[in-house]
Amino acid sequence: MFDYDNYAALIKHGYLFHKGENGTSCLQAEALDVSGVRHAFSTRQGGVSPAPFDSLNLSWNDKDCFANAEENFTRFCGAFGFSYPELTIINYEHGVNVLPVTRADCGRGFDLPQLPFCDGLITDDPGVTLVTSHADCGALFFYDPVCKAVGMTHAGWKGTLGRIGGKTVDAMRENYGCAPENIITAIGPCICRDCFEVDMELGERFALEFDDPAIYSPGKPGKAQLDLARAALIQLLDAGITPAHITMMDACTYHDPALFFSYRRDKGKTGSMSGFIKLT
């Protein structure tokens, strides 16, 4: 049975908040704010999209034009040291497919056709920036400073239950020879336990999968409050990540409408944030 107290003193918590000169802003994990890697999780601030996508909407929504999203990505990249032509974005299906990419994939999902369905990306190529999309689902960041490889994962409840975080670690090991104990990780913003109501049956499935009765709390009759970040933590530990190499950003997308879009809070009429990571 999972016992958080065994790891609590080693796991890092919190995030760094940075404001760009053009009004954009981002969150970063201090453990990944090091030479060799660049990463960021966007907020909704500093873009050009109209309500309800105001303002830094980083998704291609049929009610918010492509030109707005392109300008928003360009603004964010300019503020935080990424290159728009190097971006490669997931083509998510709330699954567990993790895809290795190279600079030949730059522009996929932007000016070029989308990648095959995938909720995770990995690379050892410094010429490509990995991008994921989020509006309540978790963002998982991975960096191996020894083998020089990175990963970026979109983890909704389906992907989390399917252990996509662990599968990302496996993919980095299989493709680049990464040792899990060397990989530095961060669990980015997502909807928190207090805000994420699910059916009791789903809560019980999570408790069984992760051997942790505390992964959910009883809610309204027939409902449970599910802790996605805790499930992400457990699977990273199970995959061999060292507790001291895990940061939980502890930011809830639902709670903070000034910083984050939230699909559940905004009843689907909302934009999207993105996670970014690249080797430098």
Side-chain angles (χ1 to χ4, degrees), residues 56-242:
L56 193 80
N57 176 29
L58 299 182
S59 69
W60 320 120
N61 188 298
D62 60 2
K63 295 182 175 62
D64 187 21
C65 69
F66 180 92
N68 286 346
E70 185 177 42
E71 173 62 20
N72 289 339
F73 270 107
T74 301
R75 287 188 177 203
F76 190 84
C77 288
F80 299 108
F82 300 102
S83 170
Y84 180 83
E86 293 183 350
L87 303 182
T88 304
I89 194 166
I90 58 167
N91 183 14
Y92 70 89
E93 59 174 350
H94 296 281
V96 295
N97 189 37
V98 179
L99 192 66
V101 294
T102 69
R103 69 187 67 196
D105 298 298
C106 289
R108 298 289 296 272
F110 293 92
D111 301 320
L112 296 177
Q114 290 184 325
L115 293 165
F117 283 124
C118 56
D119 282 71
L121 297 173
I122 59 172
T123 193
D124 64 350
D125 189 336
V128 58
T129 299
L130 310 181
V131 185
T132 50
S133 300
H134 307 273
D136 279 333
C137 296
L140 307 180
F141 300 80
F142 302 82
Y143 170 50
D144 183 345
V146 178
C147 291
K148 309 297 183 186
V150 291
M152 191 76 230
T153 298
H154 165 270
W157 75 258
K158 291 181 181 179
T160 300
L161 186 60
R163 292 181 175 261
I164 190 173
K167 286 178 167 57
T168 305
V169 175
D170 292 342
M172 293 178 70
R173 183 182 64 247
E174 293 164 4
N175 285 272
Y176 312 126
C178 300
E181 61 267 23
N182 293 331
I183 299 175
I184 302 169
T185 65
I187 300 169
C190 67
I191 191 168
C192 75
R193 176 200 297 257
D194 291 345
C195 300
F196 193 33
E197 182 182 79
V198 300
D199 290 339
M200 180 61 73
E201 184 269 339
L202 183 59
E204 292 171 347
R205 286 175 62 190
F206 268 79
L208 182 63
E209 173 63 33
F210 297 103
D211 195 20
D212 181 24
I215 208 165
Y216 75 90
S217 305
K220 298 174 184 176
K223 300 294 183 179
Q225 302 298 133
L226 182 62
D227 194 335
L228 278 181
R230 188 177 177 103
L233 169 66
I234 295 170
Q235 66 188 266
L236 293 179
L237 292 168
D238 287 349
I241 302 296
T242 302

